[in-house]
């Protein structure tokens, strides 16, 4: 996560929020946050949300995710809120909602559904 | 694309390949390419593949994609091959297969299915 | 919808609930609702939820959906709750949560994310 | 599968084809195969394709799938071809392509990407 300057602003059982201030190198050609950055932030927020419910010593693996881009991500800051839909022993299903803050507005710019796998220690 | 050092190595009607040499700042904690980078490369390769079949003056928008991560992306170079499944007037459905090259091996590390929208000029 | 005996029990702007009583011919080999039935119910509930926000005379087309099966769908009745995430002029993004009722319990058995297209009349 | 009259016409390691003749009760309001039937057929073809690579005594569970509907499924017969993308010890990633046969034509009407889980015996 370090390379993009993202900051975890909330972490609780089954929940994680990650925020990312706008920087020019994160943008696509229109001056918005790049779609790939949105996907990465969503993947991370939901992945950490799931990880909070896994046993100590386990690690987390993203099996797959599906993301819909809802609106152009034009703003000063991106906020990805991850949450757990269902935590099983091996698989954890999560979701992330991604918003972009522009002045006083908060625009819903992506929604993601994800499958994580708990990697139990040997 | 510039910020990650990716290079387009193939472009033909309905097809696009993008390659990305490994760099430390693209990695996650295990020293592999980061999942977000894989998603971005797949999104771009499939997006450009679709764009080749759109009318001049149109632009392309990613509506959504779904990606399965198949194997750890550990290698010197990542290769994303995008191709068009079906090109309609407004929607173009695409796919991308992502590989990582490690010595003589080529490991299939992700598969993606994507929906693009053609933005016709006003 | 007629062939499976489903009933719409709620319809409001951006929302639709469809319920389906268990019948043996809807089951898979373990005596649960079949996965394909779950997908169909979710697709319909979310599709109608989206349709409520489309202009008169428009029709609705499912572009794609992604569904996670969360738990065995063993129960007397299946309930699919569709809702709209974002309604654009051409594309409407929706979600459905599917539950199965077993005695007093209500088990969350599937979650779906969907893209619809508004078909404007010619 | 019995309730819809589907027939398995091909089964080999990592591959499965299922065909379904048109019947009125499988149709939606336009007289085409219903979207839910397409999803179910795709889910089954890919699920059996994956199952062929699992150990004896294991059973198969659909974790999730994502399907794009590409064209109206109007025809006399639907054909779903499932294949394995990658078979791991616990997770098997598959794909299905769904076609509809109309006279001499074969129309590509859906493409699906799926995650299966191998349920190892206790």
């Amino acid at each position: 996560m370090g390379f993009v300057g993202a900051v975890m602003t909330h972490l609780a059982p089954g929940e994680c929020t990650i925020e990312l201030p706008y920087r020019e190198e994160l943008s696509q050609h229109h001056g918005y946050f790049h779609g790939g950055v949105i996907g990465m932030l969503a993947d991370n927020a939901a992945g950490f949300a799931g990880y909070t419910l896994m046993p100590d010593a386990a690690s987390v693996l993203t099996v797959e995710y599906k993301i819909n881009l809802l609106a152009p991500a034009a703003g000063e800051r991106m906020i990805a809120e991850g949450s757990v839909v269902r935590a099983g022993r091996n698989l954890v299903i999560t979701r992330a909602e991604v918003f972009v803050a522009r002045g006083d507005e908060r625009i819903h710019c992506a929604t993601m559904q994800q499958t994580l796998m708990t990697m139990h220690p040997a």
Side-chain angles (χ1 to χ4, degrees), chain A:
Chain A
M1 301 268 304
F3 92 98
V4 289
V7 177
M8 196 178 293
T9 57
H10 173 70
L11 190 68
E15 298 175 4
C16 175
T17 303
I18 297 175
E19 307 205 5
L20 178 66
Y22 181 76
R23 288 208 325 264
E24 206 172 314
E25 66 268 42
L26 301 174
S27 75
Q28 40 130 285
H29 50 295
H30 299 299
Y32 304 156
F33 281 96
H34 193 287
V37 175
I38 303 173
M40 184 168 50
L41 212 66
D43 180 21
N44 274 279
F48 279 109
Y51 188 47
T52 61
L53 301 187
M54 293 180 185
D56 289 355
S59 61
V60 57
L61 197 74
T62 298
V63 174
E64 58 84 37
Y65 63 87
K66 178 257 201 288
I67 188 165
N68 274 80
L69 304 176
L70 304 174
E76 301 97 43
R77 205 160 36 97
M78 186 176 287
I79 304 114
E81 300 180 349
S83 60
V84 171
V85 176
R86 186 173 180 277
R89 180 175 143 70
N90 293 305
L91 297 177
V92 178
I93 313 307
T94 61
R95 170 165 301 158
E97 306 300 339
V98 185
F99 303 89
V100 72
R102 192 161 58 205
D104 288 344
E105 271 190 297
R106 197 173 132 116
I107 294 136
H108 194 183
C109 64
T111 185
M112 187 196 74
Q113 191 169 314
Q114 184 191 48
T115 305
L116 302 170
M117 190 161 205
T118 304
M119 304 302 282
H120 297 285

